[in-house]
């Protein structure tokens, strides 16, 4: 079991990631809390959709900038920037998935991790934040 401070760190990181996504109008933001699942690879998966490859890159940059600015952390690893259909930002405890809408449906990560506690971030929250 992880210590309370590590849990709080991943909770805070998850909040910052969602904020970075909302900043660039990401849609269908979902937070999968994997902490109670056996053999989970992270504390959280945060998934969103984008309407274009340009928006995917803008969302990824926004998330990276917000996390760097607020907690000074960079992704441990990034994937998918060259094909621009699905960008993954791996912060170890929090893994960020930014999909083109049809790619997201194809991979269906929410279904794959269906046992997770899933939170759907309201679209109105992103509009109110601006």
């Amino acid at each position: 079991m992880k210590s309370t401070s590590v849990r709080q760190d991943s909770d805070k990181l998850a909040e910052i990631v969602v904020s970075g996504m909302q900043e660039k109008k990401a849609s269908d933001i979902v937070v999968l809390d994997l902490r109670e699942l056996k053999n989970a690879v992270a504390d959280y998966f945060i998934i969103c959709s984008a309407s274009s490859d340009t928006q995917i890159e803008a969302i990824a940059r926004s998330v990276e900038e917000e996390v760097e600015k607020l907690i000074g952390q960079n992704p441990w690893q990034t994937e998918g920037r060259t094909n621009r259909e699905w960008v993954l930002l791996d912060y170890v405890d929090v893994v960020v998935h930014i999909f083109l809408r049809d790619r997201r449906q194809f991979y269906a990560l929410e279904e794959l991790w269906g046992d997770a506690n899933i939170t759907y971030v309201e679209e109105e929250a992103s509009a109110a934040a601006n």
Side-chain angles (χ1 to χ4, degrees):
M1 182 125 213
K2 292 189 177 188
S3 72
T4 303
S5 67
V6 171
R7 278 191 156 211
Q8 289 171 340
D9 289 348
S10 63
D11 291 347
K12 178 70 174 164
L13 179 55
E15 289 173 23
I16 295 167
V17 165
V18 168
S19 176
M21 289 175 165
Q22 290 172 326
E23 188 69 31
K24 296 300 177 187
K25 309 276 191 258
S27 59
D28 305 318
I29 302 171
V30 176
V31 178
L32 282 71
D33 184 343
L34 307 173
R35 294 175 297 181
E36 302 301 321
L37 300 183
K38 190 175 183 177
N39 301 322
V41 296
D43 288 349
Y44 293 99
F45 273 8
I46 304 176
I47 306 167
C48 73
S49 296
S51 57
S52 69
D53 61 347
T54 305
Q55 187 185 22
I56 286 177
E57 184 57 31
I59 294 166
R61 264 197 323 271
S62 178
V63 168
E64 289 172 324
E65 289 168 3
E66 286 295 305
V67 172
E68 170 66 28
K69 179 174 71 179
L70 295 173
I71 60 174
Q73 191 174 344
N74 290 309
W76 172 66
Q77 192 168 350
T78 63
E79 297 288 336
R81 279 214 153 97
T82 52
N83 73 7
R84 297 170 70 153
E85 293 181 348
W86 172 11
V87 170
L88 180 140
L89 306 174
D90 186 347
Y91 288 96
V92 182
D93 290 330
V94 176
V95 180
V96 180
H97 301 271
I98 307 162
F99 283 101
L100 280 179
R101 196 171 314 280
D102 64 333
R103 294 286 86 196
R104 180 173 177 175
Q105 291 169 347
F106 179 79
Y107 288 103
L109 289 183
E110 291 99 325
E111 294 173 29
L112 218 67
W113 293 94
D115 293 345
N117 182 12
I118 301 175
T119 302
Y120 299 90
V121 178
E122 295 293 324
E123 299 288 330
E124 298 79 51
S126 64
N130 293 324

